[in-house]
mmCIF file of all heavy atoms in Angstrom:
data_model
loop_
_atom_site.group_PDB
_atom_site.id
_atom_site.type_symbol
_atom_site.label_atom_id
_atom_site.label_comp_id
_atom_site.label_asym_id
_atom_site.label_seq_id
_atom_site.Cartn_x
_atom_site.Cartn_y
_atom_site.Cartn_z
ATOM 1 N N HIS A 53 -35.949 -78.406 -104.456
ATOM 2 C CA HIS A 53 -35.553 -77.007 -104.293
ATOM 3 C C HIS A 53 -36.616 -76.080 -104.869
ATOM 4 O O HIS A 53 -36.944 -75.067 -104.216
ATOM 5 C CB HIS A 53 -34.266 -76.781 -105.127
ATOM 6 C CG HIS A 53 -33.076 -77.423 -104.571
ATOM 7 N ND1 HIS A 53 -32.113 -78.037 -105.330
ATOM 8 C CD2 HIS A 53 -32.624 -77.562 -103.263
ATOM 9 C CE1 HIS A 53 -31.211 -78.557 -104.561
ATOM 10 N NE2 HIS A 53 -31.457 -78.300 -103.354
ATOM 11 N N LEU A 54 -37.148 -76.383 -106.018
ATOM 12 C CA LEU A 54 -38.192 -75.533 -106.687
ATOM 13 C C LEU A 54 -39.433 -75.424 -105.765
ATOM 14 O O LEU A 54 -40.022 -74.368 -105.648
ATOM 15 C CB LEU A 54 -38.514 -76.013 -108.054
ATOM 16 C CG LEU A 54 -37.415 -75.915 -109.059
ATOM 17 C CD1 LEU A 54 -37.791 -76.629 -110.335
ATOM 18 C CD2 LEU A 54 -37.079 -74.459 -109.322
ATOM 19 N N SER A 55 -39.764 -76.523 -105.149
ATOM 20 C CA SER A 55 -40.933 -76.557 -104.243
ATOM 21 C C SER A 55 -40.653 -75.605 -103.018
ATOM 22 O O SER A 55 -41.584 -74.899 -102.606
ATOM 23 C CB SER A 55 -41.235 -78.018 -103.771
ATOM 24 O OG SER A 55 -42.308 -77.986 -102.917
ATOM 25 N N LEU A 56 -39.488 -75.753 -102.446
ATOM 26 C CA LEU A 56 -39.143 -74.850 -101.331
ATOM 27 C C LEU A 56 -39.232 -73.418 -101.693
ATOM 28 O O LEU A 56 -39.801 -72.546 -100.925
ATOM 29 C CB LEU A 56 -37.742 -75.182 -100.748
ATOM 30 C CG LEU A 56 -37.589 -76.462 -100.014
ATOM 31 C CD1 LEU A 56 -36.074 -76.773 -99.820
ATOM 32 C CD2 LEU A 56 -38.281 -76.383 -98.636
ATOM 33 N N ILE A 57 -38.705 -73.062 -102.909
ATOM 34 C CA ILE A 57 -38.756 -71.716 -103.431
ATOM 35 C C ILE A 57 -40.216 -71.293 -103.633
ATOM 36 O O ILE A 57 -40.645 -70.183 -103.225
ATOM 37 C CB ILE A 57 -37.874 -71.530 -104.606
ATOM 38 C CG1 ILE A 57 -36.422 -71.739 -104.243
ATOM 39 C CG2 ILE A 57 -38.068 -70.187 -105.277
ATOM 40 C CD1 ILE A 57 -35.511 -71.930 -105.398
ATOM 41 N N ASP A 58 -40.994 -72.153 -104.243
ATOM 42 C CA ASP A 58 -42.364 -71.793 -104.635
ATOM 43 C C ASP A 58 -43.226 -71.581 -103.385
ATOM 44 O O ASP A 58 -44.210 -70.792 -103.383
ATOM 45 C CB ASP A 58 -43.005 -72.910 -105.447
ATOM 46 C CG ASP A 58 -42.483 -72.929 -106.862
ATOM 47 O OD1 ASP A 58 -41.891 -71.918 -107.313
ATOM 48 O OD2 ASP A 58 -42.714 -73.961 -107.543
ATOM 49 N N ASN A 59 -42.894 -72.272 -102.289
ATOM 50 C CA ASN A 59 -43.716 -72.182 -101.091
ATOM 51 C C ASN A 59 -43.167 -71.316 -99.955
ATOM 52 O O ASN A 59 -43.719 -71.289 -98.852
ATOM 53 C CB ASN A 59 -43.935 -73.624 -100.581
ATOM 54 C CG ASN A 59 -44.798 -74.409 -101.506
ATOM 55 O OD1 ASN A 59 -45.899 -74.027 -101.881
ATOM 56 N ND2 ASN A 59 -44.242 -75.472 -102.032
ATOM 57 N N CYS A 60 -42.109 -70.643 -100.259
ATOM 58 C CA CYS A 60 -41.501 -69.806 -99.173
ATOM 59 C C CYS A 60 -42.261 -68.421 -99.073
ATOM 60 O O CYS A 60 -42.936 -68.016 -99.970
ATOM 61 C CB CYS A 60 -40.024 -69.524 -99.446
ATOM 62 S SG CYS A 60 -39.636 -68.369 -100.776
ATOM 63 N N ASP A 61 -42.136 -67.829 -97.930
ATOM 64 C CA ASP A 61 -42.768 -66.510 -97.637
ATOM 65 C C ASP A 61 -41.781 -65.441 -97.957
ATOM 66 O O ASP A 61 -42.168 -64.283 -98.249
ATOM 67 C CB ASP A 61 -43.218 -66.430 -96.170
ATOM 68 C CG ASP A 61 -44.256 -67.517 -95.814
ATOM 69 O OD1 ASP A 61 -45.243 -67.607 -96.537
ATOM 70 O OD2 ASP A 61 -44.011 -68.214 -94.835
ATOM 71 N N VAL A 62 -40.499 -65.718 -97.786
ATOM 72 C CA VAL A 62 -39.441 -64.714 -98.009
ATOM 73 C C VAL A 62 -38.327 -65.344 -98.818
ATOM 74 O O VAL A 62 -37.811 -66.417 -98.490
ATOM 75 C CB VAL A 62 -38.847 -64.226 -96.638
ATOM 76 C CG1 VAL A 62 -37.822 -63.148 -96.886
ATOM 77 C CG2 VAL A 62 -39.922 -63.717 -95.721
ATOM 78 N N LEU A 63 -37.972 -64.679 -99.945
ATOM 79 C CA LEU A 63 -36.906 -65.151 -100.830
ATOM 80 C C LEU A 63 -35.759 -64.129 -100.777
ATOM 81 O O LEU A 63 -35.940 -62.963 -101.056
ATOM 82 C CB LEU A 63 -37.437 -65.262 -102.267
ATOM 83 C CG LEU A 63 -36.504 -65.895 -103.246
ATOM 84 C CD1 LEU A 63 -36.112 -67.325 -102.887
ATOM 85 C CD2 LEU A 63 -37.196 -65.851 -104.633
ATOM 86 N N VAL A 64 -34.574 -64.630 -100.347
ATOM 87 C CA VAL A 64 -33.456 -63.730 -100.117
ATOM 88 C C VAL A 64 -32.330 -64.155 -101.046
ATOM 89 O O VAL A 64 -32.151 -65.331 -101.303
ATOM 90 C CB VAL A 64 -32.959 -63.949 -98.641
ATOM 91 C CG1 VAL A 64 -31.800 -63.010 -98.331
ATOM 92 C CG2 VAL A 64 -34.072 -63.744 -97.643
ATOM 93 N N GLY A 65 -31.556 -63.177 -101.533
ATOM 94 C CA GLY A 65 -30.414 -63.442 -102.371
ATOM 95 C C GLY A 65 -29.935 -62.256 -103.123
ATOM 96 O O GLY A 65 -30.556 -61.142 -102.995
ATOM 97 N N GLY A 66 -28.928 -62.437 -103.939
ATOM 98 C CA GLY A 66 -28.527 -61.345 -104.791
ATOM 99 C C GLY A 66 -29.564 -61.042 -105.818
ATOM 100 O O GLY A 66 -30.401 -61.903 -106.160
ATOM 101 N N ARG A 67 -29.675 -59.831 -106.307
ATOM 102 C CA ARG A 67 -30.675 -59.442 -107.223
ATOM 103 C C ARG A 67 -30.733 -60.346 -108.427
ATOM 104 O O ARG A 67 -31.798 -60.790 -108.911
ATOM 105 C CB ARG A 67 -30.483 -57.980 -107.712
ATOM 106 C CG ARG A 67 -31.438 -57.450 -108.719
ATOM 107 C CD ARG A 67 -32.915 -57.595 -108.409
ATOM 108 N NE ARG A 67 -33.358 -56.966 -107.214
ATOM 109 C CZ ARG A 67 -34.543 -57.259 -106.682
ATOM 110 N NH1 ARG A 67 -35.367 -58.114 -107.209
ATOM 111 N NH2 ARG A 67 -34.891 -56.698 -105.545
#
Side-chain angles (χ1 to χ4, degrees):
H53 291 139
L54 293 171
S55 179
L56 286 168
I57 293 166
D58 287 343
N59 293 302
C60 73
D61 299 308
V62 182
L63 186 61
V64 182
R67 176 52 57 197

